[in-house]
Amino acid sequence: MIKVQRSKKLSGFVSIPGDKSISHRAIIFGSLCVGKTTITGLLESEDVKRTIEAVRQLGAKVEKKNGKWEVYGFGVGGFTSPENVIDCGNSGTTCRLLMGAISTTPISAIFVGDKSLSQRPMDRIIEPLSEIGVKCTAREGSFLPITLEGTSSAIPPDFESRVDSAQVKSAVLLAGLNSRGTTKYVEKTLTRDHTERMLMFFGGKIKSEKTDNGYVHYLQGLQELKPQEITVPSDPSSASFFIAAALMVEGSDITIKNICMNETRIGFLKVIDKMGASIEVNNKKTICGEPIADVRVKSSRLKGVKVPKSLVPSMIDEFPILAVLAALAEGETEMKGIEELKVKESDRIFSMAKGLRDCGVNVFFGDDYMTVKGTREVRGGQLINTFSDHRIAMSFMCLGQVTQKPIEISESASVGTSFPGFVEKFKEIGANLSSQTSR
Ligand code: S3P
C-alpha cells in the first residue's frame, strides 16, 4: 500500500523510460530479421519482458550487453513452435501482436495470461486471423487460453476493423508479412502507427492512405527485413502522469526530455492545451522514424473541455490521468466514445469513476462516456482500489499530490507493467509518497 499526501511544488528534469509500444515492436521486428538488431533505451517493464521471453521461446536469441539489448532472429517465417505455453502476463500487446506475427508460419502455440488479460477480448484478433485461414481455439470463443495453429497458405485479407485498435492493425500486418499477396487493412481512425514506421525503418514497404472510408494500409507479403540499431524514445503515456502532476501542484515547473511526439500519440497534449495548460515543446528531432521533443510544463489553472471523439485513439491510455485533471479543472469535462476503456487492464471507466467518487468528485458515466465535474479542492481521505491496473494506480498517486486529505493506494506493484521506478522518479521531483508495507 502507498500513502500519498499533498506535495509542495514539483521541479526539475525528468527522464522517462522507453515507449512501451515501440519497445514491444523493436523486439518483435528484431526477431523477424536474420542478424543482430541492437536496441538502446528499451523499456524494461513487466510487459516488455513478456515479449522478450515469448520471442526467445519462438527461437530468437535476446540478451542485454553493455546496457543495450541485442536480438538475433531467423527472418520472416523463421519462428519455431515453443515447447511451453507463451505466458503474456498482463500484456495485451505481447499476446495480440505475437498471435499475428506467428500466425502465417506453420507452427502452433498456446497463449495464456494473468487474470486481467484472460478477461480481455481476443475475438478482435481471432476474427481476421480466421479469415486468412489460421485456426484459433479460444475459451468461450474469445478469451485466453488460446491455441493457435499457424498456416503456410494464408489468404491475404481485405479487412475492415470494427474497433480502432493498433494491436489489431499490427497483428494483421505482422501476419501479412509472411503471406503471399497483399494484405489490406482499413481503420476508421488512424491508430498509433509504430508498426508501420518500424516496418519501414527495418527496410520493409507499406503503403498507407487516407480515404473517405478511413485509413487504408497495403502490405505486400514475403518481404525481407534488415536488422537495425534502434533507439526507443520516452513514452508519452508514462510522461502524462508527471505532466498532469506538474499542472496540478502549484508552483511546479518540470522538463521531460525526448518524449515520443508521434501525432497518433499526442491527443492528451492537445486536450490539455485546450484546457489551458502551460506547455512548451522544444528540441524537436526525429529518431528511428519517430518524432521526439522535450516538453516543459508549469502548473496551470485548467478549465473543463469536451474531448473531441477524433482524438480518442491518440490518447486512449491517457483517459485515467485526464479524468484526474478534469476533477481539478473549472467546469465539466466530457469524454465520449471511450467504450474501449472498458476492455483495458481494468474497466477504466468504472475504476476511475469509483476512485474519483470516493474522493468526493462528481462523476457521471455509462458504457461509452464519462463526465467529470471539476472542483477546485478534491477532498480525498480514502483508500483507492487500483483494480491492479498500473495506469489507475499512477493516476491516483498524482491526484493524491493535491487532495485535501491524504489518500491510500491499494497496491503499487502493477506500476511495473509499464513504468518501473515510477514512485522513486516521482519522489525525485518532489512528490509526496510513502510505502506503508513492503510488497
Ligand atoms: C497498444 C495499443 C493500444 C494501447 C496499448 C498499447 C499498442 O491498445 O491501449 O496500451 O502497443 O499497439 P488497443 O490497440 O487495444 O487500442
Side-chain angles (χ1 to χ4, degrees):
M1 195 175 329
I2 293 266
K3 188 169 179 187
V4 194
Q5 278 169 289
R6 267 181 108 95
S7 60
K8 304 203 179 82
K9 64 179 179 142
L10 306 176
S11 59
F13 286 84
V14 196
S15 64
I16 298 279
D19 185 75
K20 181 155 80 71
S21 295
I22 297 176
S23 294
H24 282 293
R25 285 157 175 84
I27 296 287
I28 294 173
F29 275 100
S31 74
L32 290 169
C33 300
V34 179
K36 178 169 88 172
T37 286
T38 310
I39 310 167
T40 305
L42 185 85
L43 170 67
E44 295 177 10
S45 74
E46 293 307 318
D47 270 20
V48 176
K49 286 181 189 163
R50 296 293 177 168
T51 295
I52 293 175
E53 203 38 54
V55 301
R56 280 182 180 146
Q57 279 186 255
L58 292 163
K61 192 169 133 194
V62 187
E63 54 191 21
K64 194 173 178 184
K65 264 196 193 158
N66 306 323
K68 295 183 181 185
W69 286 84
E70 296 178 355
V71 186
Y72 297 82
F74 288 99
V76 170
F79 287 136
T80 48
S81 285
E83 282 174 11
N84 287 311
V85 294
I86 294 183
D87 188 348
C88 304
N90 192 245
S91 177
T93 313
T94 305
C95 184
R96 292 177 174 144
L97 267 58
L98 283 177
M99 281 178 68
I102 70 164
S103 67
T104 45
T105 300
I107 60 171
S108 48
I110 300 168
F111 289 86
V112 299
D114 70 3
K115 195 169 162 229
S116 151
L117 189 59
S118 302
Q119 287 164 2
R120 296 178 65 188
M122 297 296 161
D123 50 343
R124 55 184 59 194
I125 304 289
I126 295 172
E127 197 187 313
L129 295 186
S130 304
E131 216 173 89
I132 66 176
V134 178
K135 204 172 153 217
C136 296
T137 314
R139 182 174 55 87
E140 293 169 31
S142 180
F143 301 100
L144 296 178
I146 291 176
T147 303
L148 185 152
E149 285 169 48
T151 174
S152 54
S153 50
I155 311 147
D158 178 344
F159 189 76
E160 206 173 321
S161 181
R162 307 180 262 122
V163 280
D164 287 328
S165 163
Q167 293 178 349
V168 176
K169 170 173 66 177
S170 303
V172 173
L173 295 177
L174 287 167
L177 266 182
N178 201 35
S179 314
R180 280 184 195 82
T182 304
T183 292
K184 181 179 170 195
Y185 184 89
V186 186
E187 55 183 346
K188 281 189 202 74
T189 316
L190 185 65
T191 58
R192 63 189 69 190
D193 61 358
H194 306 301
T195 298
E196 298 92 298
R197 284 172 190 256
M198 202 174 284
L199 179 79
M200 290 192 277
F201 193 74
F202 275 81
K205 287 199 185 84
I206 181 161
K207 201 175 118 204
S208 301
E209 59 191 29
K210 190 177 179 201
T211 69
D212 293 344
N213 275 344
Y215 290 79
V216 189
H217 309 279
Y218 299 94
L219 178 88
Q220 183 62 43
L222 304 183
Q223 300 188 35
E224 195 190 330
L225 303 177
K226 294 261 183 284
Q228 298 297 327
E229 289 194 7
I230 299 271
T231 300
V232 181
S234 296
D235 194 316
S237 303
S238 298
S240 67
F241 297 105
F242 288 175
I243 293 174
L247 288 172
M248 294 187 295
V249 179
E250 237 177 85
S252 297
D253 183 352
I254 64 163
T255 299
I256 307 175
K257 311 272 285 173
N258 298 331
I259 302 187
C260 178
M261 294 294 282
N262 181 318
E263 267 299 305
T264 61
R265 295 291 299 280
I266 54 167
F268 175 74
L269 292 180
K270 291 181 183 168
V271 169
I272 58 172
D273 183 53
K274 275 179 190 263
M275 294 172 88
S278 163
I279 296 249
E280 245 178 60
V281 177
N282 299 311
N283 295 331
K284 291 185 187 170
K285 288 184 270 197
T286 300
I287 51 163
C288 303
E290 295 280 355
I292 61 165
D294 300 342
V295 172
R296 181 174 181 186
V297 195
K298 291 186 194 161
S299 56
S300 312
R301 289 230 152 159
L302 301 181
K303 46 187 192 304
V305 277
K306 287 189 179 163
V307 177
K309 270 193 190 176
S310 60
L311 287 183
V312 170
S314 64
M315 53 180 293
I316 193 68
D317 292 336
E318 282 68 83
F319 278 97
I321 190 62
L322 180 70
V324 163
L325 284 181
L328 270 299
E330 190 188 322
E332 277 187 9
T333 294
E334 256 182 43
M335 301 163 244
K336 287 185 174 165
I338 55 169
E339 61 278 6
E340 273 296 299
L341 295 190
K342 290 182 74 70
V343 290
K344 293 294 178 190
E345 287 82 331
S346 69
D347 172 348
R348 287 184 175 158
I349 298 183
F350 179 76
S351 314
M352 283 312 297
K354 164 104 179 62
L356 287 175
R357 280 180 176 176
D358 286 348
C359 289
V361 181
N362 267 329
V363 183
F364 310 95
F365 68 97
D367 278 346
D368 63 352
Y369 73 92
M370 175 156 65
T371 302
V372 178
K373 266 190 136 172
T375 155
R376 278 262 180 272
E377 287 289 342
V378 174
R379 189 197 64 225
Q382 292 290 319
L383 169 65
I384 303 296
N385 186 350
T386 67
F387 297 91
S388 301
D389 182 332
H390 53 133
R391 298 199 204 280
I392 303 300
M394 289 187 277
S395 296
F396 282 99
M397 288 185 207
C398 292
L399 180 63
Q401 302 306 313
V402 291
T403 49
Q404 289 169 326
K405 295 181 186 169
I407 59 175
E408 286 173 339
I409 314 287
S410 61
E411 57 80 39
S412 61
S414 63
V415 165
T417 294
S418 64
F419 198 157
F422 171 80
V423 171
E424 295 72 22
K425 272 212 154 86
F426 203 13
K427 279 185 184 169
E428 272 169 30
I429 54 166
N432 199 346
L433 312 156
S434 55
S435 292
Q436 294 296 288
T437 51
S438 55
R439 286 190 51 113

